[in-house]
Amino acid sequence: MLYLLSELSGTLTPLNVFRYITFRTGGALFTAGFFVFWFGPWIISLLRIRQGKGQPIREDGPASHLTKRGTPTMGGLMILAGAIVSVLLWANPRNHYVWVTLAVTLGFGAIGFYDDYLKVTKQSHKGFSGKFRLLLEFAIAGAACLLISIYSPVSLQNQLAFPVFKDALLNLGWFWVPFAAFVIVGAGNAVNITDGLDGLAIVPVMIACGTFGIIAYLVGNSFTAGYLQVNYVRDTGELAVVCGAVIGAGLGFLWFNAPPAQIFMGDTGSLALGGLLGSIAVAAKHEIVLAIVGGLFVLEILSVIIQVASFKLTGKRVFRMAPIHHHFEQKGWKEPQVVIRFWIIAVILALVGLATLKLR
């Protein structure tokens, strides 16, 4: 909206500053943060009244978590509301990638919301059918990837780019769409699995968003893409504004989610934010780098897969409890120790991911 206003204002006015992606990214960050700070208490009060007992707590989980009974969930509504309002205000509405990313975010958020709703109303950890949920996720992600493929430069359509190697491209052909959809669905569910402790998921998400905001901006600029010898993907720079909005909304949410949490993110937020990260990585042709930057999320979901596979095949568990953050809790780590140490890991992985831009 503000971008269009600057275009209509002519070329010699102060409003021209709205054309700069960096300025609008900062504006999106502060707008989303202010929105969540301002409306957060009201949203939390409303959800607490509506939900009554709040999110059900696992009886077989760490004993310290039982004190969290009654905490409302669906805090992702705060994040999504702040981020979307901010994106609509600051991003270029003519940019295809922005709309595709928002569609994935809202679609995944709707799936997560329905799952949270069932859990709260039934006071059970079981939402709706896992297979049907994955089917819906793949349908949304597949449609988004098909559009991304159409909007991508012809030379990069259906191509998988490799970090470090500047000219390495693998033509996946028709298989690229299901592969890219798998990246988005995997990212959504990996962040969802990570969201198990106060503040554990939202900070790594913000770190990953900050990283991919930089990547999207550099990849979407022909000069910087040429200098860094990365694949130039026109118009992806606008996704930096989306990342800025998520960081701002995430900061606002963290204010209320910091231990002891006043509200949980729920599947509403974690699934949506993971899908957003996946769609940005796919659009910017940095799918593999997402596995590095989001390595913490990968570790979390792998711990669950390994635990389930090991128990079914051998009857033995590899971890004391999965996901892996609960494993460390069972080993005696306090919740703040687990959270802060995992944040440190997320920062290190983000720096490694950024380093791949220069190592060519």
Side-chain angles (χ1 to χ4, degrees):
M1 184 182 297
L2 291 174
Y3 178 86
L4 292 180
L5 183 62
S6 70
E7 286 196 331
L8 294 172
S9 67
T11 58
L12 298 175
T13 70
L15 289 177
N16 280 331
V17 72
F18 290 107
R19 296 186 182 185
Y20 295 109
I21 291 176
T22 49
F23 178 82
R24 288 186 286 112
T25 298
L29 189 156
F30 284 106
T31 300
F34 176 79
F35 183 97
V36 177
F37 272 123
W38 185 262
F39 291 103
W42 177 78
I43 295 174
I44 292 172
S45 297
L46 180 63
L47 289 174
R48 183 177 288 113
I49 294 170
R50 294 285 184 179
Q51 295 177 11
K53 295 181 180 180
Q55 178 172 301
I57 306 297
R58 289 175 57 177
E59 295 291 343
D60 59 342
S64 60
H65 288 209
L66 297 178
T67 61
K68 301 182 180 184
R69 281 198 176 109
T71 305
T73 187
M74 298 185 188
L77 291 173
M78 298 165 56
I79 303 171
L80 296 182
I84 290 171
V85 167
S86 185
V87 168
L88 293 178
L89 183 63
W90 291 97
N92 179 3
R94 297 172 181 170
N95 188 283
H96 299 300
Y97 292 120
V98 169
W99 289 111
V100 171
T101 300
L102 285 183
V104 171
T105 304
L106 288 173
F108 276 40
I111 294 172
F113 176 83
Y114 183 60
D115 211 30
D116 283 336
Y117 174 78
L118 291 178
K119 291 175 182 176
V120 170
T121 54
K122 295 180 179 180
Q123 279 300 295
S124 169
H125 295 288
K126 295 182 180 179
F128 66 105
S129 168
K131 291 182 180 179
F132 184 59
R133 169 173 157 163
L134 282 175
L135 181 63
L136 288 176
E137 291 172 12
F138 270 106
I140 294 170
C145 292
L146 186 59
L147 289 173
I148 289 174
S149 177
I150 293 172
Y151 299 142
S152 297
V154 176
S155 61
L156 294 176
Q157 284 181 347
N158 302 330
Q159 302 278 353
L160 175 64
F162 293 88
V164 181
F165 304 100
K166 62 181 180 179
D167 296 319
L169 290 171
L170 177 62
N171 190 345
L172 297 178
W174 64 268
F175 184 69
W176 183 85
V177 170
F179 168 78
F182 175 80
V183 171
I184 294 175
V185 172
N189 285 278
V191 174
N192 183 223
I193 289 292
T194 306
D195 183 34
L197 301 177
D198 297 348
L200 177 58
I202 189 60
V203 172
V205 163
M206 289 190 291
I207 292 170
C209 273
T211 304
F212 270 94
I214 295 172
I215 291 174
Y217 177 77
L218 296 175
V219 166
N221 183 293
S222 59
F223 176 78
T224 54
Y227 172 74
L228 294 171
Q229 297 183 327
V230 296
N231 296 295
Y232 168 55
V233 187
R234 184 179 177 181
D235 295 333
T236 56
E238 200 68 26
L239 292 174
V241 180
V242 178
C243 290
V246 173
I247 292 171
L251 287 171
F253 175 74
L254 183 61
W255 183 268
F256 305 104
N257 186 236
Q262 296 175 249
I263 190 168
F264 297 141
M265 184 189 301
D267 292 4
T268 307
S270 57
L271 201 61
L273 294 177
L276 178 142
L277 282 171
S279 58
I280 291 175
V282 168
K285 294 296 177 183
H286 274 68
E287 300 94 333
I288 296 177
V289 174
L290 176 62
I292 299 172
V293 174
L296 178 64
F297 306 130
V298 175
L299 177 63
E300 290 275 9
I301 198 167
L302 280 179
S303 69
V304 174
I305 295 172
I306 292 170
Q307 185 85 322
V308 172
S310 176
F311 188 74
K312 286 187 175 181
L313 294 174
T314 68
K316 297 180 180 179
R317 292 180 171 85
V318 176
F319 306 101
R320 294 188 181 184
M321 189 176 181
I324 198 169
H325 55 260
H326 290 321
H327 168 78
F328 288 108
E329 280 191 291
Q330 298 288 19
K331 288 189 68 175
W333 290 19
K334 301 297 183 183
E335 182 172 338
Q337 285 181 303
V338 178
V339 171
I340 294 174
R341 287 171 180 174
F342 276 37
W343 289 353
I344 294 171
I345 293 171
V347 170
I348 294 171
L349 291 172
L351 293 175
V352 173
L354 282 175
T356 64
L357 290 173
K358 190 58 181 172
L359 296 176
R360 298 281 159 175

